[in-house]
Amino acid sequence: MTTTPLQDFYENPAVPVASGAPRTLRQARILATALDRNRHQHPHRHRHSPATVLDIGCGDGTAAATAAPLLRDHRVIGVDWSQDALRRASAHLTHVVRGELTNNGLPFATGAADAILFSEVIEHLVDPDSALDELRRVLTPGGHLMLSTPNLAAWYNRALLLTGTQPVFSEVSLRAVHGRPGREVVGHLRLYTARALREFLTASGFDVIRITGAPFHGVPRPLRPLDRLICSAAPTAASILLAHARRRDGD
C-alpha cells in the first residue's frame, strides 16, 4: 500500500504521540463532572450504564491511562490512525481500535458515544471540517467534546511575531524546525486562537460551554510561573486552549 509522507511521519515511533499529564487530568476532571451531572439529570438513561468515552487520537495511551482513575465508572476506548501508536496504547487500554476522521472512518454507530476526548489532534489535520463532522456523527445529541490544542495567540507568540520570529507550535516542514524556538518537529498543520476555535466549533454543530487555558511544558523553566499565571488570568493568551463543548441537539 502506498503511503503519503504525512502518514509515514505519524507511523515513525520517534514522533511524540502524547500530550502533557496535567492537561489530561484537567480535561478528565471536567468530563467526569459533566458525566456525573448527566446521571443526576437523566437517571433513567444513565444510572445503570457506563458512559462510552472515545479517546480519539489516543497516541500511546498514556493520556487515557492518566485519565482512567477519574473515569473508572465509564468505558474508555482508544482510537488512533497509527498502528504503531495502537500497539503501544494496548499496554494501557483494554479497548483500542483503528479509525480515521474522514468518510465515516470511525468504526462506531451514529450516536454511539457519550463523550469524546480530542487532545491535541485538530492541529495535525489536513481536513478538520470533516473530522468535526465525524465527531458529531458518533456523539449522541448533547454528548460532550473535550478538545485541546495549542494557542496561536499564546502570550509569547505575540511577542515573537513582533520580532519577525515564527510562532511556537507552527511548523513549515516535516523534516526540521525553521525560524522559531525549539527543535522538535511534531507535524502541526493548523493553529487556532480562542476566538477562531469557538467560532469553528459553533459552525460545526457544537455548543461551546467554556474555553479555558493551560500551561505548556516546553516553556523555559524560569518563565513557567508567568505562563501559569497568564493561563489562569487571561485564557485567550494561554499556551494551550481547552474547549468543552456539547453536540447541539437536533443537528
Side-chain angles (χ1 to χ4, degrees), residues 26-236:
R26 235 173 121 183
Q27 287 181 297
R29 289 189 191 100
I30 295 170
L31 181 56
T33 299
L35 292 173
D36 187 59
R37 188 178 298 118
N38 280 2
R39 284 184 167 182
H40 285 91
Q41 291 176 344
H42 306 284
H44 300 294
R45 288 174 53 193
H46 300 289
R47 179 173 293 169
H48 302 294
S49 59
T52 296
V53 180
L54 306 181
D55 182 5
I56 297 180
C58 66
D60 62 8
T62 55
T66 299
L70 296 171
L71 299 172
R72 63 168 56 93
D73 295 331
H74 307 294
R75 183 183 183 216
V76 180
I77 302 173
V79 185
D80 208 287
W81 178 89
S82 167
Q83 294 284 17
D84 178 75
L86 289 175
R87 280 192 293 270
R88 287 183 275 171
S90 63
H92 301 285
L93 294 169
T94 303
H95 307 285
V96 296
V97 298
R98 188 178 188 277
E100 299 186 23
L101 286 167
T102 56
N103 301 319
N104 292 340
L106 292 177
F108 303 100
T110 298
D114 299 288
I116 289 174
L117 290 168
F118 202 51
S119 300
E120 272 125 283
V121 176
I122 197 168
E123 65 271 14
H124 297 268
L125 300 179
V126 174
D127 186 359
D129 301 273
S130 294
L132 286 187
D133 288 345
E134 183 65 352
L135 297 187
R136 191 178 70 246
R137 180 187 72 80
V138 300
L139 270 176
T140 188
H144 298 272
L145 172 64
M146 301 299 306
L147 181 154
S148 65
T149 190
N151 184 9
L152 175 61
W155 59 275
Y156 39 81
N157 281 345
R158 301 181 190 206
L160 289 172
L161 279 169
L162 289 174
T163 68
T165 303
Q166 188 83 9
V168 174
F169 309 123
S170 66
E171 296 182 332
V172 299
S173 170
L174 292 178
R175 298 177 181 176
V177 169
H178 300 290
R180 69 158 172 83
R183 298 179 180 178
E184 191 174 63
V185 178
V186 293
H188 290 174
L189 303 179
R190 299 180 183 276
L191 290 176
Y192 299 81
T193 64
R195 179 185 297 180
L197 183 61
R198 180 181 293 275
E199 291 183 4
F200 183 39
L201 288 171
T202 300
S204 299
F206 293 89
D207 291 323
V208 178
I209 297 173
R210 191 179 181 193
I211 294 180
T212 57
F216 174 49
H217 63 272
V219 170
R221 189 174 297 275
L223 295 176
R224 289 179 188 176
L226 176 61
D227 189 39
R228 291 192 294 270
L229 176 62
I230 291 175
C231 290
S232 175
T236 58

Side-chain angles (χ1 to χ4, degrees), residues 237-248:
S239 289
I240 306 294
L241 300 173
L242 303 181
H244 178 199
R246 299 188 72 174
R247 180 189 159 178
R248 194 174 301 131

